[in-house]
Amino acid sequence: MQGGAVDEDFAEFVRVALPGLLRYGHLLTGNPHDAADLVQIVLEKIGVRWGTLRGAESPLPYVKRAMANTHVSRWRSRRRESLVADIPEPPPYTPPDRLENEPLWQALAALPPRQRTVVVLRYYEGLSEAEIADAMRISPGTVKSQASKALASLRGKLGTLVGAGDEW
């Protein structure tokens, strides 16, 4: 195929996959703005290599794995403190997220980034503990402990909504 056909094929993939990628990014990052940034970063990287990727049966799992890896790299680099000379301007007003008042979403968003990432990869993407450990570059034991802590936190936050006697 010529370059134009490859570009058209990539544009079609983006058109079809974009809503799902944005939802997946939203789950990973905790907000729609960071999700859009994450999707854009990954699609830029993927677009350059689309000619070799489009031969795969389905490039979507590859793109989602790249999103998870990029997200992990971004929150690792953000953890490092950087001092600035001037106080930054406050961010402009953004309308509230439509999921903001959903109890499950609030509980998920309140989790620390590592725990939230483990939960999303395990229960939304269905990855195994070994796959998650490989993607996040942590040990399988850490995956288990982070998932356990996250589920305990979610149970604690959502248990009052379900009822004290109800079990998950």
Side-chain angles (χ1 to χ4, degrees):
M1 251 186 209
Q2 304 232 344
V6 171
D7 292 342
E8 289 174 20
D9 187 42
F10 180 66
E12 178 64 15
F13 169 78
V14 171
R15 187 187 64 74
V16 171
L18 188 60
L21 293 176
L22 288 171
R23 282 191 303 273
Y24 179 60
H26 193 166
L27 286 169
L28 284 173
T29 63
N31 73 65
H33 306 291
D34 288 342
D37 290 345
L38 178 63
V39 170
Q40 181 176 349
I41 289 166
V42 170
L43 288 177
E44 286 175 1
K45 291 177 184 177
I46 299 297
V48 173
R49 301 179 342 129
W50 185 253
T52 59
L53 291 175
R54 68 188 175 106
E57 185 174 318
S58 174
L60 189 58
Y62 180 85
V63 173
K64 286 185 174 182
R65 171 70 56 98
M67 286 176 65
N69 290 342
T70 302
H71 171 64
V72 168
S73 295
R74 288 176 74 196
W75 67 256
R76 276 188 177 156
S77 66
R78 285 184 185 166
R79 289 192 317 187
R80 296 184 191 106
E81 183 178 5
S82 60
L83 302 176
V84 295
D86 297 322
I87 298 174
E89 290 293 320
Y93 171 76
T94 56
D97 185 0
R98 65 181 178 82
L99 298 174
E100 183 176 1
N101 295 321
E102 292 292 325
L104 179 60
W105 179 251
Q106 290 174 339
L108 187 62
L111 291 175
R114 181 184 277 189
Q115 290 180 15
R116 183 174 54 242
T117 302
V118 167
V119 168
V120 169
L121 292 177
R122 180 71 180 116
Y123 299 103
Y124 183 77
E125 277 302 302
L127 297 181
S128 70
E129 290 167 351
E131 291 170 323
I132 296 168
D134 184 50
M136 294 179 67
R137 289 184 237 135
I138 58 177
S139 73
T142 302
V143 171
K144 290 178 187 179
S145 69
Q146 292 296 301
S148 176
K149 289 175 185 176
L151 292 177
S153 178
L154 291 173
R155 282 186 190 106
K157 290 175 183 168
L158 297 174
T160 57
L161 296 174
V162 176
D166 296 339
E167 290 293 322
W168 284 29

